[in-house]
Amino acid sequence: MAYENFRIETDADGIALVTWDMPGRSMNVFTAEVIEELDAIRAMLEADDKVKGAVVVSGKSAFSGGADLSMLGQFSALTAGLAPAEAATRVFEESRKLSQTFRRIEAGTKPWVAAIKGVCLGGAFELALACHHRVVADTPDTRIGLPEVKVGLFPGAGGTQRIPRMMPAQDALQMLSKGDQIRAAAAKSMGLVDEVVPADKLVETAKAWIAAGGSAKKPWDQEKFRLPGGPVWSPAGMNLWPAAAALYRKQTYDNYPAIRAMMKAVFDGLQLPIDQGLEVESRQFAHVLMSKEAAAMIRSLFVSMQELGKGARRPAAVPPSTPKKVGVLGAGFMGAGIAYVTALAGMEVVLIDRDQESADKGKALSHKLMSEQVNRGRAKTAERDALLARIEATPDYARLAGCDLVVEAVFEDAALKAEVAARAAAVLGPNAVYSSNTSTLPITQLAKAFPDQARFIGIHFFSPVERMMLVEVILGKETGDKALATALDYVRALKKTPIVVNDSRGFFTSRVVGTYVAEGHRMLAEGVPAAMIENIGRIAGMPVGPLALNDEVAIDLAWKITEATKKAGGPVDPGQEALLKKMVVDLGRYGRKNGKGFYDYPEGGKKHLWPGLADLQKKKLDPDTLDVAEMKHRLLAVQAVETVRIFAEGVLTDVREADVGAILGFGFAPFTGGPLSWIDGMGTKAFVALLRGLEAKHGARFAPPPLLVEMAERGETFYGRFPPGGQAKAAA
């Protein structure tokens, strides 16, 4: 029988090679059709007396990225018009089909071996866990893992039941909660895989295990099986589970129902035989699938991120091309980081600063970062040397000749940026694209220093460049399609996610995150204890409190932006201005960079809130009298309403970029799916009512924009009125 997604070849020893190779896709993923075919193959091989076992392998460079999460959107259609109980039953039945197929493979009479090369994640690794033996290739790109928690789900095809039957529950919970990708050697030491072999020995080794009499019976299907960490109701279990529950609340503030459900699936499932445990897991998985958090996170952090990463905003008429040689102007922290990620992507880099010493210092960051990778076994010395050879550190602008793209990353000063742009333009060819890495300065104004404004664009990286996955691409009024296409191709080559915004002071990310920081400043000026401000920021879902975030981006930068805004005639809050002036001008507290800001940073010690903050407060409020829910709403709503304003102004033109940009750029509560998804989940009518209450109590910054009021009156949502990919010009 022929299959669309698999090829079956049985050798003379009766071992079937099941090659997963989906047509028209660069990577294998689980779809409804794949699940159906895999189950049919299992049944066929099980019924064939000539077959001794099966090896499942990928026909592509990677094994599989897991399930096609976009298919989960089909559950809405499946449950349309059904009563809640009936809908829940339907989701449970449909969502557990993959788990049932895996269990049938596991409980059959023929041994299956997973032969893994490249990434094997999510449902694909759950398939491997259901197999009776796992062999992985010893290659740098081989990774296994269960990353579902990062998109609002948890492993729902057996992961929560098999992992804690393979390792102590404490270790299993840590792995399941983090969702990290694990390299081959580490996976072997953790007991998650059985053999690590050279890539060219992968299938041979897998077949040899079957030929040598490999067992088709898992340990947990044997009568004498005992849990590695002991029973749940044991002294060890009683030490683990209360502490695990407390840690969950401390780290998530109960904002992530998937992690809570995952822990319950493990706790309940380990008290039952494997089949009943899998049913418990499936019920919890179905419950999470129906949550608004999962829907929002899947849409933003999987579907939208993939679409943007693949070039959803790229001009189709411009042929694709990746820059081969990139100039980076400015070898400070940002420029050095940009040079590193560019060289890491295989491009030649010319790193320029005012003198050789400064340029060399910037290049040294690449040496440091690569050496760390070498020391951790994640890179080889030869790879480090090759990367460093791709970076030329120099003060000579003439070396920019032949560059396809230049990324300017000098200090945020318009005059300085104009000077370096003119110097670079004198050397660059007529087709080179010039970009500025700026977080606030309008691109249209900066472009006036470059002779051909159509080739000038903004490329805003986030710090630290090597870790932050978002890049904000800013269009000036004269920016052409070639510049946009070049910028997006470059960002894609760096394996980062781009969003495209139109020109405006602060653009999108800096403008919105500034409201979060400013709200923290206002709360401090009102007399709210600093520790309470910080804790409520984290409770609301932000990665750090507003004061800690200001320390990271530098308080003196916030002061300079405030003064520049005031000089340009923009709105400035007097209380915030006074606080920043006191911190920067009077006290010299610039943030983490000089070891003192809203926090103190003792050398060799842990940072802590600066005790002197209390002395800056003219009044002090009793924390027991403060409304925590209202404070949470203030910190999130001030960001969300600013996002709406930016969208209404046409600075943002795609709802996907608003949500993905907010989560990746400044950590807007990921469980919400982003600010526009948060509004849609609440309902525009309810959000306007929330804003009206905050406006009456705290001021005009919470006033709902006309677009939002109109949408509330019509009962519209952002994703309904402005479908992904559509332009938001009607919002202006």
Side-chain angles (χ1 to χ4, degrees):
M1 178 179 176
Y3 298 95
E4 183 177 350
N5 299 292
F6 295 91
R7 298 189 301 274
I8 317 295
E9 303 170 70
T10 304
D11 65 17
D13 295 323
I15 299 173
L17 184 65
V18 180
T19 303
W20 186 6
D21 195 1
M22 298 180 74
R25 288 182 182 256
S26 60
M27 181 176 286
N28 295 319
V29 293
F30 280 107
T31 63
E33 293 74 23
V34 167
I35 298 168
E36 185 177 345
E37 284 190 14
L38 182 61
D39 199 36
I41 291 167
R42 174 209 58 80
M44 178 192 70
L45 297 179
E46 184 71 19
D48 190 341
D49 292 337
K50 296 178 183 177
V51 174
K52 294 180 180 177
V55 174
V56 60
V57 69
S58 172
K60 303 186 186 298
S61 60
F63 190 85
S64 167
D68 179 1
L69 295 186
S70 60
M71 75 176 179
L72 298 180
Q74 299 170 5
F75 288 125
S76 298
L78 284 172
T79 58
L82 299 180
E86 191 177 354
T89 299
R90 177 72 64 85
V91 171
F92 168 69
E93 291 171 347
E94 291 297 320
S95 65
R96 70 186 303 224
K97 286 183 176 179
L98 187 61
S99 180
Q100 290 175 317
T101 295
F102 291 170
R103 179 56 179 161
R104 285 192 281 266
I105 288 173
E106 181 177 64
T109 62
K110 309 284 177 73
W112 280 60
V113 180
I116 300 164
K117 179 181 179 298
V119 296
C120 178
L121 304 175
F125 186 54
E126 289 179 288
L127 166 61
L129 292 172
C131 289
H132 305 91
H133 198 69
R134 286 161 295 284
V135 183
V136 299
D138 186 14
T139 59
D141 62 334
T142 295
R143 303 278 197 285
I144 60 97
L146 298 168
E148 288 89 340
V149 293
K150 296 183 178 181
V151 290
L153 296 174
F154 69 85
T160 70
Q161 301 307 302
R162 295 186 177 96
I163 294 291
R165 284 171 169 81
M166 297 169 72
M167 62 175 68
Q170 180 174 346
D171 298 333
L173 287 175
Q174 186 174 27
M175 177 189 169
L176 293 166
S177 299
K178 285 186 173 182
D180 290 341
Q181 296 185 22
I182 303 167
R183 292 171 181 268
K188 174 75 163 57
S189 67
M190 294 168 71
L192 294 170
V193 303
D194 300 294
E195 298 183 75
V196 179
V197 300
D200 59 354
K201 301 290 185 183
L202 192 63
V203 172
E204 174 187 326
T205 305
K207 286 186 173 185
W209 183 83
I210 296 174
S215 173
K217 196 152 191 174
K218 285 291 192 66
W220 42 85
D221 284 322
Q222 299 176 25
E223 189 175 340
K224 294 183 179 180
F225 175 71
R226 297 291 181 268
L227 292 172
V232 169
W233 297 102
S234 67
M238 290 302 94
N239 283 332
L240 168 64
W241 288 100
L247 185 63
Y248 157 74
R249 289 193 173 273
K250 179 182 178 182
Q251 292 181 340
T252 70
Y253 298 97
D254 209 20
N255 286 324
Y256 294 87
I259 300 179
R260 185 192 331 121
M262 178 271 292
M263 292 180 66
K264 183 169 176 56
V266 175
F267 181 81
D268 291 345
L270 289 184
Q271 300 176 61
L272 299 165
I274 184 72
D275 286 299
Q276 285 71 42
L278 290 169
E279 184 173 338
V280 165
E281 176 191 77
S282 293
R283 292 193 181 282
Q284 291 295 330
F285 188 71
H287 174 70
V288 168
L289 269 182
M290 299 178 72
S291 70
K292 65 179 182 180
E293 290 88 353
M297 289 181 74
I298 289 169
R299 180 172 65 191
S300 293
L301 294 175
F302 180 78
V303 178
S304 294
M305 265 186 67
Q306 282 204 342
E307 291 169 350
L308 295 176
K310 290 178 180 177
R313 295 295 309 280
R314 191 187 184 283
V318 181
S321 64
T322 301
K324 294 180 176 59
K325 185 178 179 182
V326 176
V328 178
L329 308 183
F333 188 65
M334 285 297 292
I338 294 167
Y340 169 71
V341 298
T342 304
L344 190 64
M347 291 170 254
E348 300 294 321
V349 179
V350 179
L351 180 60
I352 292 182
D353 212 306
R354 60 184 178 272
D355 52 49
Q356 189 65 50
E357 182 182 357
S358 300
D360 288 340
K361 185 178 178 182
K363 183 175 178 177
L365 176 67
S366 292
H367 186 279
K368 175 178 176 290
L369 293 172
M370 282 301 291
S371 294
E372 290 173 355
Q373 296 298 307
V374 171
N375 293 338
R376 293 171 184 166
R378 297 178 179 175
K380 297 177 181 177
T381 304
E383 292 173 316
R384 179 189 65 193
D385 295 344
L387 181 141
L388 293 172
R390 289 194 289 272
I391 302 174
E392 178 187 359
T394 177
D396 185 3
Y397 275 72
R399 302 301 297 162
L400 293 174
C403 284
D404 309 296
L405 171 69
V406 169
V407 183
E408 167 266 299
V410 301
F411 187 71
E412 287 283 275
D413 179 271
L416 177 59
K417 287 179 180 289
E419 177 188 334
V420 298
R423 293 183 67 182
V427 178
L428 293 173
N431 295 315
V433 171
Y434 187 94
S435 69
S436 178
N437 175 66
T438 176
S439 58
T440 58
L441 299 175
I443 291 299
T444 302
Q445 291 299 315
L446 295 178
K448 291 179 179 178
F450 196 76
D452 183 1
Q453 295 185 38
R455 292 189 283 129
F456 196 105
I457 194 166
I459 301 181
H460 175 209
F461 287 88
F462 295 77
S463 182
V465 179
E466 68 275 9
R467 292 210 304 266
M468 298 296 285
M469 296 308 299
L470 185 74
V471 177
E472 192 174 31
V473 177
I474 307 111
L475 299 175
K477 287 185 179 178
E478 302 299 327
T479 301
D481 282 354
K482 167 73 188 309
L484 175 58
T486 299
L488 293 178
D489 289 345
Y490 169 61
V491 173
R492 185 176 186 182
L494 301 182
K495 297 182 180 178
K496 295 185 183 293
T497 300
I499 61 170
V500 180
V501 303
N502 290 318
D503 201 12
S504 169
R505 181 172 289 275
F507 319 122
F508 165 46
T509 54
S510 296
R511 188 168 151 186
V512 174
V513 78
T515 65
Y516 175 62
V517 170
E519 202 63 27
H521 293 164
R522 288 187 176 96
M523 289 178 174
L524 191 66
E526 290 166 12
V528 179
M532 189 174 189
I533 297 169
E534 297 295 86
N535 286 333
I536 288 177
R538 291 189 293 269
I539 291 170
M542 298 298 290
V544 295
L547 305 180
L549 181 58
N550 199 176
D551 270 9
E552 295 297 329
V553 299
I555 304 174
D556 61 326
L557 177 60
W559 165 247
K560 287 170 185 173
I561 291 172
T562 299
E563 290 304 282
T565 302
K566 183 177 181 180
K567 187 176 180 181
V572 171
D573 178 81
Q576 182 190 20
E577 183 183 17
L579 174 64
L580 291 175
K581 181 177 183 296
K582 185 70 175 178
M583 291 289 288
V584 175
V585 179
D586 299 345
L587 299 172
R589 302 188 69 88
Y590 300 158
R592 181 184 281 276
K593 71 180 186 180
N594 77 332
K596 51 184 183 178
F598 291 107
Y599 285 74
D600 278 330
Y601 300 86
E603 196 167 333
K606 189 176 180 181
K607 77 174 188 180
H608 55 81
L609 280 163
W610 176 45
L613 286 176
D615 297 331
L616 302 184
Q617 295 177 300
K618 294 180 180 178
K619 60 179 179 179
K620 297 176 178 61
L621 300 177
D622 180 354
D624 292 335
T625 66
L626 298 175
D627 186 336
V628 172
E630 180 188 281
M631 292 176 68
K632 284 170 55 179
H633 280 144
R634 282 177 66 178
L635 291 173
L636 293 183
V638 75
Q639 298 178 74
V641 72
E642 188 68 10
T643 301
V644 174
R645 292 189 188 105
I646 292 169
F647 195 78
E649 292 167 12
V651 176
L652 278 167
T653 61
D654 191 309
V655 289
R656 296 171 297 185
E657 292 174 317
D659 282 342
V660 171
I663 295 173
L664 295 187
F666 49 90
F668 185 91
F671 68 90
T672 66
L676 297 187
S677 285
W678 185 55
I679 295 170
D680 280 358
M682 185 186 305
T684 47
K685 186 175 181 179
F687 185 61
V688 166
L690 172 66
L691 290 178
R692 294 291 191 204
L694 293 173
E695 180 189 13
K697 191 170 181 180
H698 298 288
R701 64 187 177 280
F702 290 105
L707 169 66
L708 191 58
V709 174
E710 177 188 308
M711 290 175 65
E713 291 171 350
R714 296 180 180 180
E716 294 176 327
T717 64
F718 279 95
Y719 277 80
R721 177 163 173 172
F722 307 105
Q727 296 297 300
K729 291 179 181 176

